[in-house]
Amino acid sequence: METCPVCKLNDNLIVIEELSPIAIRIECPRCGKFTILDRVEFTAPNSKFRPKLSAWVRDLKEQDAKAPQITSDLLNNLQSSIPDRSPREKQIKLLRSIERKTKYPGQIIELNWKYDFPLAWASNYEEFLYYINSLHDRGFLSNEMTSGLSSVTITADGWDYLEKLERHMEERTQAFVAMSFSENLKGIWEGPIKNAITKAGYTPHRVDAEPHIDRIDVKIISEIKNSRFVVADITEQKRGVYFEAGYALGMGLPVIWCVRKDDLENAHFDTRQYNHIVWETEDYLEDQLYHFICAIIGKGKVS
Ligand SMILES: [Zn+2]
């Protein structure tokens, strides 16, 4: 029996494959698939971070995203950026994943207590059962329990609720990009930023000229309001970028901050507090941004 390095599950369904003397590929029934690029460097997540990391990996699998390659840089980034989710958000996460598994209304979906609790971003099966019961009490799920399994079906009220959620936030497909307009950075907009957003299922939008600092641009404000989230690259420290990101945060929109490594020391944000990607190469930025969007926002529907 193998042990999953992320969730610590010890189970005979776990498959660990050596890709090189230091890299391993893991398939875990709880977390899903992932690669650890340097097993020597890899430090096992602590008990607080463990369920979040496991849920993050599982979420990517559930959304048919690319299996992540875990490096120590990525772990550091995730530790400071995966948000604490409220019980309400966890219920929505769970209901959405049941929706994704449901091929036709009325279908019974089996949830395994041991393997499936990351679907609700829960820490253990006890918390998982709490969310299943809550969704049942709210009338969104019917639920039958046998030992170790819950057989659930989304009710008519559950479908209504999902539709309402959809109309509210999830129907937004635009990602607003705030960044410097200098020629130096044109390449990262045309390449990694556009690619990562598109690959994650959203439409990248950047206004086509440097905003006026002395005037609040109505067009920009309305584009931010119509967006699902904001990507703010603060390299070169333009005031407009901070303004747009700050406005988005005030509106309750998630902001993913990026900065080129050589400019990090000039950044006017608290690097411990926010979702941020410190990049040196375009490939790194594209890969990290894609994974951040999938982890923090969830995969979008634009194909
Ligand atoms: Zn695992």
Side-chain angles (χ1 to χ4, degrees):
M1 264 206 274
E2 301 273 13
T3 302
C4 171
V6 165
C7 72
K8 297 283 172 208
L9 174 70
N10 186 253
D11 196 286
N12 49 22
L13 289 178
I14 292 173
V15 180
I16 298 184
E17 185 190 342
E18 298 209 6
L19 300 176
S20 78
I22 54 165
I24 46 173
R25 185 190 291 137
I26 297 102
E27 207 176 326
C28 166
R30 187 183 284 158
C31 306
K33 283 183 203 165
F34 56 100
T35 302
I36 292 177
L37 283 186
D38 187 343
R39 69 199 297 184
V40 185
E41 238 184 24
F42 179 81
T43 37
N46 63 29
S47 57
K48 187 167 183 281
F49 183 43
R50 188 183 304 145
K52 284 190 187 176
L53 183 62
S54 172
W56 180 77
V57 176
R58 178 67 180 262
D59 221 4
L60 292 174
K61 176 186 183 245
E62 293 295 315
Q63 299 182 53
D64 290 325
K66 210 173 76 183
Q69 300 197 321
I70 296 180
T71 59
S72 50
D73 270 358
L74 178 65
L75 277 185
N76 286 338
N77 272 340
L78 292 174
Q79 194 141 18
S80 58
S81 62
I82 298 179
D84 285 319
R85 299 191 189 276
S86 68
R88 181 190 138 82
E89 286 174 307
K90 289 179 177 182
Q91 286 176 47
I92 292 173
K93 278 274 176 198
L94 176 58
L95 192 58
R96 284 243 176 261
S97 67
I98 297 168
E99 180 193 19
R100 262 197 303 269
K101 291 175 188 299
T102 301
K103 293 189 187 70
Y104 52 89
Q107 189 182 0
I108 297 167
I109 303 298
E110 285 200 341
L111 301 173
N112 182 304
W113 300 355
K114 186 157 98 183
Y115 300 145
D116 289 332
F117 64 76
L119 296 178
W121 288 68
S123 299
N124 49 47
Y125 83 89
E126 198 179 9
E127 189 187 356
F128 183 51
L129 289 182
Y130 174 75
Y131 298 127
I132 295 177
N133 290 331
S134 305
L135 289 169
H136 174 257
D137 293 346
R138 294 171 73 188
F140 300 156
L141 279 187
S142 68
N143 170 26
E144 274 185 41
M145 287 198 275
T146 48
S147 69
L149 282 181
S150 289
S151 305
V152 299
T153 308
I154 299 177
T155 61
D157 281 349
W159 289 113
D160 284 352
Y161 179 70
L162 283 166
E163 210 179 296
K164 253 184 256 161
L165 278 178
E166 188 87 18
R167 275 203 300 271
H168 181 53
M169 194 58 163
E170 311 265 326
E171 75 174 11
R172 297 187 198 173
T173 55
Q174 175 166 290
F176 186 91
V177 178
M179 63 183 291
S180 162
F181 286 80
S182 81
E183 277 300 310
N184 292 336
L185 290 173
K186 208 172 161 193
I188 73 144
W189 156 246
E190 290 296 340
I193 294 184
K194 269 190 178 175
N195 292 346
I197 293 173
T198 310
K199 219 167 26 161
Y202 296 90
T203 309
H205 179 88
R206 188 176 89 152
V207 286
D208 46 15
E210 195 84 56
H212 294 276
I213 301 305
D214 51 354
R215 180 170 69 86
I216 292 167
D217 193 309
V218 181
K219 172 98 172 77
I220 289 176
I221 295 285
S222 83
E223 290 296 349
I224 294 173
K225 276 186 180 161
N226 286 328
S227 297
R228 177 74 181 83
F229 63 98
V230 169
V231 174
D233 187 280
I234 53 172
T235 310
E236 297 184 353
Q237 314 298 314
K238 301 292 181 187
R239 283 202 299 185
V241 177
Y242 285 100
F243 170 77
E244 288 156 19
Y247 181 78
L249 285 174
M251 295 288 300
L253 294 185
V255 175
I256 300 174
W257 301 85
C258 313
V259 62
R260 199 173 56 209
K261 197 171 185 184
D262 59 10
D263 210 17
L264 177 63
E265 58 185 31
N266 303 317
H268 300 282
F269 72 109
D270 184 343
T271 51
R272 285 159 308 178
Q273 214 172 338
Y274 295 113
N275 314 313
H276 68 279
I277 297 166
V278 180
W279 57 273
E280 272 181 293
T281 66
E282 295 197 358
D283 282 351
Y284 181 82
L285 175 61
E286 182 171 329
D287 196 53
Q288 297 281 299
L289 184 55
Y290 169 75
H291 283 309
F292 265 62
I293 297 169
C294 293
I296 295 161
I297 326 292
K299 218 160 173 254
K301 288 178 181 161
V302 180
S303 53

